[in-house]
Amino acid sequence: METQGKVIICRAAVAWGAGEALVMEDVKVDPPQRLEVRLRILFTSICHTDLSAWKGENEAQQAYPRILGHEAAGIVESVGEGVEDMKAGDHVLPIFTGECGDCRVCKREGANLCERFRVDPMKKVMVGDGKTRFFTSKDNKPIYHFLNTSTFSEYTVIDSACVVKVDPRFPLEKMSLLSCGVSTGVGAAWNVADIQPGSTVAIFGLGAVGLAVAEGARAKGASKIIGIDVNPDKFPLGREAGISEFINPKESDKTVHERVMEITEGGVEYSFECAGRIEALREAFLSTNSGVGVTVMLGVHASPQLLPIHPMELFQGRSITASVFGGFKPKTQMPLLFTQCLQGQLNLDLFISHQLPFKDINKAMQLLHQGKALRCLLRL
């Protein structure tokens, strides 16, 4: 390709400050260095991690100017020295947490937080040389990276450990959902909780991740899935995902865990906290069966509050764990998930609530912020 080895000037949505509207402008994107890949992003969407970073909820994460975005799909434009598992023209997904394949975590079954390329909200430069690959087009000032990916740009440079090849038969607009939210929820049900057929499930928070948990639980044959959310507008989509009963905490004079205990006659085998609220985590834990209950935490908790569980409560037969990217090893395990989606095991159409051009990214941000969107798919 004629752009290989050259600086590319393209459009990107740049964050210049916490809570400020993203600015659509021309940026320079350097060629990939050793073990890096430059991608042409075709589709990207916004998840709550992007929204949190945009709002500047964690001061330690703030570095401006910055290009956000991590849920996307695209095509390889060029590869740097040493990249052997992909080439220009390949269809790929950028993944916010990578897999080097060589560290002790990557070599251990059941672990997915690579020692070198694990998700790091504080990371703002490339691993190889500690520098950025983005610059302003007018005065050549550095623009920082985000979550190993920075997909709110027509072109981006990513460590090859954070890029997964996709069979070209798969529609990239749907596959983009698997680079974060859907995989996080489905994997929590399949890999982390390992839901068994006939079991009962409670899901706290029915955003994209919560609905993905429901899809995963339905696919594994759960007998009863209970959805908990304060927004009843989410319930119709929940039914499509396999949720049979709903609880709105605002409409009950009992606590949520008391209602779950009544519905299930003793509590669910699995509960999933997808709201990022400490109160929801406590209720999720108490909603599980004393003896076999497992709680999986998926919500991102910005609050400084500690885990709301007394150590002695763990002696009652309940356990609690957390999950990043659904426990998936990106390069090793994601290809099978792609195939399962192609076979119809998961309904990805369920998650796309809006489709907008890239220039409308601020509108998409507001829709998610206002709770009016599940996933806004942006076409670049």
Side-chain angles (χ1 to χ4, degrees), residues 198-202 217 221-226 242-245 263-264 268 270:
S199 57
T200 53
V201 175
S223 63
K224 185 184 294 293
I225 306 174
I226 304 169
I243 299 175
S244 56
E245 301 200 37
I263 294 170
T264 59
V268 294
Y270 308 97

Side-chain angles (χ1 to χ4, degrees), residues 44-279:
T44 190
S45 52
I46 301 164
C47 92
H48 282 278
T49 304
D50 300 310
L51 194 63
S52 176
W54 169 68
K55 291 190 291 185
E57 291 182 343
N58 187 336
E59 290 185 7
Q61 296 181 22
Q62 296 182 31
Y64 302 107
R66 198 173 198 179
I67 296 177
L68 303 176
H70 66 285
E71 193 171 77
I75 296 175
V76 174
E77 177 272 336
S78 60
V79 301
E81 178 189 351
V83 177
E84 299 178 350
D85 60 340
M86 65 193 80
K87 63 185 185 305
D90 283 345
H91 291 199
V92 293
L93 296 188
I95 306 294
F96 64 90
T97 189
E99 181 184 356
C100 73
D102 296 322
C103 71
R104 60 180 175 179
V105 175
C106 287
K107 291 179 178 179
R108 182 169 179 173
E109 185 177 352
N112 74 326
L113 289 180
C114 173
E115 288 184 321
R116 192 173 186 207
F117 296 102
R118 68 173 59 189
V119 56
D120 181 3
M122 311 306 172
K123 179 186 173 186
K124 58 182 182 179
V125 293
M126 300 301 293
V127 169
D129 60 6
K131 298 178 181 179
T132 181
R133 302 290 178 262
F134 297 109
F135 298 88
T136 58
S137 62
K138 293 181 179 179
D139 47 17
N140 215 43
K141 291 184 177 179
I143 301 174
Y144 296 111
H145 295 251
F146 177 69
L147 282 185
N148 294 325
T149 49
S150 293
T151 62
F152 292 169
S153 174
E154 292 175 334
Y155 287 86
T156 187
V157 176
I158 302 175
D159 292 297
S160 62
C162 299
V163 182
V164 179
K165 191 157 59 174
V166 178
D167 189 311
R169 295 176 300 165
F170 299 170
L172 283 179
E173 62 269 29
K174 295 182 182 181
M175 290 295 104
S176 66
L177 301 172
L178 298 177
S179 63
C180 182
V182 174
S183 297
T184 296
V186 170
W190 291 1
N191 304 326
V192 182
D194 189 20
I195 289 176
Q196 298 299 303
S199 57
T200 53
V201 175
I203 303 168
F204 289 71
L206 301 181
V209 173
L211 292 180
V213 171
E215 274 281 300
R218 176 193 55 75
K220 286 296 182 180
S223 63
K224 185 184 294 293
I225 306 174
I226 304 169
I228 299 97
D229 203 290
V230 297
N231 183 358
D233 293 340
K234 297 179 179 180
F235 295 170
L237 276 180
R239 291 190 182 90
E240 290 187 43
I243 299 175
S244 56
E245 301 200 37
F246 298 88
I247 298 173
N248 183 342
K250 292 183 176 181
E251 296 180 352
S252 176
D253 56 358
K254 296 182 179 180
T255 64
V256 172
H257 78 266
E258 289 174 332
R259 290 284 295 115
V260 172
M261 287 290 174
E262 291 176 351
I263 294 170
T264 59
E265 299 181 353
V268 294
E269 281 98 331
Y270 308 97
S271 70
F272 298 84
E273 185 276 312
C274 309
R277 296 181 60 83
I278 208 76
E279 300 85 359

